Amino acid sequence: MSERLRIEPLHKAFGARVTGAKLTEPLSQEVLAEIRDAIDRYSVLCFPEQEMTDARHLAFTEQLGAPEVEHVAFGNTGEVTYFGTVGNAQADGSHLGNSAANTRYQRGNEMWHSDSSFREVPSYVSILHAYEVPGEGGETLFASMRSAYADLPESLRVEIDPLYVVHDYVFSRSQVAPVDPNHAASLPPVMHRLVRENLGTGLKNYYVGSHARSIPGYSGMESRRVLDELLDRATRPENVYAHAWQAGDTVIWDNRCMLHRGAGYDADRWRRRMRQTRVVGGERGELLGARPS
Ligand code: OGA
Ligand code: MN
């Protein structure tokens, strides 16, 4: 497929390990196009041994599109930053334990989700770089709503095709920790089509996850039945890829069609230090079906 990138599949349905590119240097249009195509095709890309810094990470992010303003800092204080900090490591060399408020808050990432599905314009990709990883645990699990959609019985595909879903950050996250009232006020519930299509490839997928709260027109019980069944189908163990991080890995995933979750780790025992950016959706047709008109 490529003269420049070496692509090795990681799982039967999605995922690839990509070598031959330094994301930390400006990339040619050709290599960027190959990375975009690989995102469309493989949904999760791991680039090992990247000599990352925040400045390089943001520069790479901007080559893929508009960086998304990180919603926690913005919601709480109005601060505009493009980075989320994942893990428990502190700048002074210490690390937060299992009982710290921030560790508990991050446990929300252990529910299957698609990043920023609760935004009016959800994200295209997330880019997560690992600086320090636990000696045990701390994997990130991935599952494809595209291959799960392809495997649906026809009756369920017909049922879900016209439906919309309310996505609500406060609904999902208040299940693990209280959401700051300012943060909550910045993220009112939004509505997206349940079935989306990548206009570049024509491939369809459904779009659920922890932020998916309800289906307009359905009772609460019926909403949960459909949303839970779709989540269960996508995340059956044989359909999951667990990424065991190495320090230096930069992983890009396609939020338009993928679910992910943290596997968890013992924060009392281990340090974990990762930085994340996201690219705003909107290019290459990923907004098709994003909102009712
Ligand atoms: C994220 C996320 C899971 C993990 O960074 O968006 O959900 O393994 N991370 O930390
Ligand atoms: Mn996430």
Side-chain angles (χ1 to χ4, degrees):
M1 154 185 188
S2 165
E3 311 254 308
R4 304 165 189 86
L5 301 182
R6 190 174 143 77
I7 295 183
E8 300 158 79
L10 288 171
H11 182 272
K12 64 178 179 343
F14 61 86
R17 182 176 193 272
V18 186
T19 48
K22 280 191 175 158
L23 305 182
T24 49
E25 291 173 2
L27 297 167
S28 67
Q29 287 309 311
E30 290 76 17
V31 170
L32 276 172
E34 285 179 10
I35 292 175
R36 286 178 170 283
D37 286 345
I39 291 168
D40 280 344
R41 179 159 172 190
Y42 294 100
S43 304
V44 182
L45 305 178
C46 175
F47 295 79
E49 294 176 14
Q50 301 294 317
E51 292 179 2
M52 199 54 84
T53 63
D54 275 0
R56 293 170 182 167
H57 190 153
L58 185 58
F60 171 63
T61 303
E62 286 171 333
Q63 291 176 84
L64 285 181
E68 190 178 286
V69 173
E70 196 277 320
H71 64 89
V72 182
F74 184 75
N76 279 281
T77 68
E79 180 201 350
V80 172
T81 169
Y82 298 109
F83 285 92
T85 298
V86 175
N88 62 344
Q90 301 295 289
D92 66 4
S94 67
H95 64 274
L96 299 176
N98 291 317
S99 61
N102 190 267
T103 306
R104 293 208 313 274
Y105 171 77
Q106 287 194 39
R107 295 232 182 269
N109 282 338
E110 295 173 24
M111 298 185 278
W112 288 106
H113 63 283
S114 171
D115 286 338
S116 299
S117 76
F118 50 82
R119 286 182 176 272
E120 290 216 0
V121 180
S123 99
Y124 163 40
V125 291
S126 295
I127 305 165
L128 186 59
H129 183 81
Y131 289 92
E132 291 178 70
V133 301
E136 200 182 323
E139 299 87 355
T140 304
L141 312 182
F142 294 94
S144 171
M145 295 182 279
R146 175 188 297 161
S147 50
Y149 177 84
D151 288 344
L152 285 183
E154 183 63 18
S155 59
L156 191 49
R157 212 179 289 173
V158 168
E159 177 183 355
I160 69 173
D161 206 53
L163 299 179
Y164 290 87
V165 176
V166 175
H167 292 250
D168 181 353
Y169 181 85
V170 178
F171 160 76
S172 56
R173 290 312 180 97
S174 54
Q175 294 172 31
V176 292
V179 179
D180 173 273
N182 291 333
H183 188 196
S186 72
L187 294 172
V190 300
M191 192 139 67
H192 298 303
R193 287 287 295 266
L194 178 47
V195 177
R196 314 176 91 197
E197 180 181 337
N198 180 320
L199 288 186
T201 61
L203 295 173
K204 286 171 127 184
N205 63 271
Y206 57 77
Y207 189 59
V208 295
S210 63
H211 309 303
R213 188 180 85 184
S214 56
I215 298 174
Y218 277 33
S219 72
M221 209 183 208
E222 280 298 284
S223 286
R224 287 278 30 117
R225 178 187 66 79
V226 173
L227 296 172
D228 291 348
E229 174 168 1
L230 294 175
L231 194 80
D232 288 349
R233 284 175 170 276
T235 60
R236 288 177 184 157
E238 67 272 22
N239 297 331
V240 170
Y241 165 68
H243 186 67
W245 292 90
Q246 302 286 318
D249 285 351
T250 303
V251 174
I252 306 174
W253 64 85
D254 187 343
N255 284 309
R256 299 169 299 177
C257 63
M258 294 301 289
L259 291 163
H260 65 282
R261 72 175 189 91
Y265 63 102
D266 183 352
D268 289 344
R269 180 158 176 213
W270 304 106
R271 273 172 74 83
R272 191 173 191 243
R273 183 161 67 93
M274 307 172 103
R275 297 280 277 168
Q276 197 209 66
T277 59
R278 297 176 188 174
V279 177
V280 177
E283 287 181 61
R284 298 185 66 155
E286 65 264 32
L287 285 184
L288 179 78
R291 276 176 67 79
S293 50

